[in-house]
Amino acid sequence: MKKLVSLILSILVVVLLLLGVKKYIQSQEISADESASSEKQQLYLFNWGNYIDPDLIKEFEAETNIQVVYETFDSNDAMEAKLKQGGTRYDIVFPSESSITKLVNQNLLQPLDHSKIQGLENISPFLLNSPVDPGNQFTVPYFWGTVGIMVNTKYIDPESITTWNDLWKSEFQNKILLLDGNRETMGLALQSLGYSLNSKDAAQLKEAELKIKALNPNVRAVLNEEIKTMMKLEEAPIGIGYSGDAAAVAEANPAVQYILPQDGSAVWTDNFALSYNAENIEGAYAFINFMLRPENAARNAAFVGYATPNEAAKELLDEEVVSDETFYPSQEVIESLEHYEYLGTEWISNYNDAFLNFKMEL
């Protein structure tokens, strides 16, 4: 009898142990499923710094229950290097127009499914179907703008600067802040000579190099973000900059006026794009569609200060903003602007060499 009781108890112990193991395995499976679900509901964005209204991110998270993980870069080259390095997942990246071809050629972007995008019809036609992304197979414009001249009207008569060529006037000695970018600076030199800022003519590029070197006496410094601070604080009266940066400077210092040169300027876009290693594809489209809603695009433009490519959003912005032709140029001016195109490795190197030669003589 004792043996029978002992046997029954042993069987019960084994059954209980097996049930415990089963529950443990089930709990681990549930935990793994929850972890996978949680990971799936995260959306990784890689964007320029200070380039989105943080309240919109919070509202997107509340609406979709998707957690946004937001990282920033300070140049297209830095973004490209991080993507090529791998190891870090990004769902949406925000490349500039000039870098799109290179990213596509390196298979760092995924093609877009236009059937999943809502609001593409509101994007300004002149910003679609660019030479670097025919049919917008890989990108959707996020912001756009121009490159021009900021002038502090306390010290400089704005009518004395209407073209790039005016920068070479002797009266502007040690007064100009130049952008530390080979495409922007060599581009303005090329346009001042009547050439394309995308020139692939060696003689034209050499002529532009010699001309920008002749500007040296007038150049106070070659900078990037610091130009905005110096213009706000009136540490220099003239600065080359992007239209959105100029708007931010003018808000802080109303004496600063933005001038779009009559002898040419660049039009550029920063864009939504899907990274090659994107995982939360549905979440990415949900975010793009959320940001393309006219009311959200308008709020984002008001916060960031750059021009929105969303025509429906423009109708929601202050009339004073959209009627300012330095930031929203007329169709005639738009047709005269040049997009930055991808020049290929050899010509990018040529532009960089010309720009470095200029900086070495400062």
Side-chain angles (χ1 to χ4, degrees):
M1 184 66 180
K2 288 183 178 178
K3 289 183 178 180
L4 179 60
V5 171
S6 177
L7 178 61
I8 291 171
L9 288 173
S10 297
I11 292 171
L12 285 172
V13 169
V14 170
V15 169
L16 290 172
L17 284 171
L18 290 173
L19 286 172
V21 170
K22 181 179 179 182
K23 285 184 178 179
Y24 175 77
I25 291 172
Q26 287 177 335
S27 69
Q28 290 298 103
E29 289 175 345
I30 291 171
S31 176
D33 288 343
E34 288 177 347
S35 176
S37 176
S38 173
E39 179 68 18
K40 185 178 180 182
Q41 289 308 308
Q42 287 186 316
L43 184 69
Y44 291 80
L45 306 184
F46 199 27
N47 197 0
W48 299 84
N50 300 315
Y51 213 36
I52 194 168
D53 183 344
D55 287 340
L56 287 171
I57 291 180
K58 293 176 184 176
E59 290 176 24
F60 172 78
E61 290 177 322
E63 179 179 308
T64 63
N65 201 31
I66 296 173
Q67 179 191 2
V68 172
V69 180
Y70 193 86
E71 293 186 26
T72 63
F73 56 85
D74 58 10
S75 72
N76 283 291
D77 289 341
M79 176 200 56
E80 178 193 341
K82 195 70 179 288
L83 290 177
K84 289 169 69 175
Q85 177 184 335
T88 304
R89 163 190 153 193
Y90 295 112
D91 296 306
I92 302 177
V93 293
F94 295 78
S96 298
E97 188 176 29
S98 59
S99 68
I100 292 171
T101 302
K102 190 176 182 183
L103 295 175
V104 170
N105 288 345
Q106 296 180 90
N107 297 314
L108 295 176
L109 301 181
Q110 292 188 38
L112 294 172
D113 182 349
H114 284 199
S115 70
K116 294 183 178 180
I117 300 175
Q118 301 166 10
L120 194 59
E121 67 278 3
N122 290 327
I123 302 298
S124 307
F126 79 93
L127 296 174
L128 295 173
N129 199 34
S130 74
V132 297
D133 188 17
N136 289 89
Q137 299 174 69
F138 295 92
T139 63
V140 173
Y142 175 63
F143 277 121
W144 74 280
T146 56
V147 177
I149 306 167
M150 292 179 279
V151 174
N152 189 317
T153 57
K154 287 184 183 178
Y155 309 102
I156 304 291
D157 179 1
E159 293 187 4
S160 67
I161 301 181
T162 59
T163 67
W164 291 125
N165 263 307
D166 289 328
L167 296 176
W168 276 261
K169 291 180 177 179
S170 59
E171 64 203 71
F172 299 144
Q173 184 172 350
N174 199 37
K175 288 183 168 64
I176 299 171
L177 303 174
L178 280 184
L179 277 169
D180 192 5
N182 63 68
R183 293 302 305 277
E184 291 86 354
T185 298
M186 297 311 301
L188 76 84
L190 285 162
Q191 287 184 321
S192 75
L193 292 164
Y195 303 138
S196 167
L197 55 74
N198 298 304
S199 176
K200 290 185 178 181
D201 183 299
Q204 291 180 1
L205 185 59
K206 186 61 180 179
E207 191 176 348
E209 178 186 332
L210 294 174
K211 182 159 187 180
I212 201 67
K213 285 180 178 179
L215 187 64
N216 281 355
N218 292 1
V219 177
R220 178 170 295 188
V222 179
L223 306 164
N224 278 319
E225 285 293 311
E226 300 88 348
I227 292 178
K228 291 190 293 183
T229 302
M230 292 182 71
M231 291 297 296
K232 288 176 185 177
L233 298 177
E234 300 188 349
E235 294 179 11
I238 303 171
I240 309 305
Y242 306 109
S243 52
D245 289 343
V249 171
E251 185 176 359
N253 186 343
V256 175
Q257 179 177 322
Y258 181 68
I259 296 169
L260 201 56
Q262 295 174 4
D263 48 354
S265 183
V267 59
W268 52 264
T269 59
D270 289 328
N271 305 269
F272 298 102
L274 294 183
S275 170
Y276 75 101
N277 62 357
E279 294 179 11
N280 192 351
I281 302 297
E282 294 306 313
Y285 282 113
F287 183 81
I288 292 171
N289 292 339
F290 178 85
M291 296 301 295
L292 288 179
R293 292 179 196 168
E295 64 275 18
N296 292 339
R299 285 176 55 192
N300 202 34
F303 178 87
V304 175
Y306 278 80
T308 177
N310 192 315
E311 291 294 326
K314 282 172 61 177
E315 297 176 6
L316 304 176
L317 293 170
D318 290 342
E319 178 61 28
E320 183 180 355
V321 173
V322 296
S323 63
D324 188 342
E325 291 197 359
T326 56
F327 300 101
Y328 289 95
S330 67
Q331 188 60 36
E332 181 183 359
V333 172
I334 285 172
E335 291 174 359
S336 71
L337 301 175
E338 286 191 271
H339 289 262
Y340 287 116
E341 297 176 8
Y342 178 63
L343 302 176
T345 304
E346 179 184 351
W347 278 99
I348 288 174
S349 177
N350 292 342
Y351 272 66
N352 192 51
D353 288 345
F355 184 55
L356 289 175
N357 289 340
F358 152 70
K359 290 205 293 183
M360 287 175 62
E361 293 191 8
L362 281 174

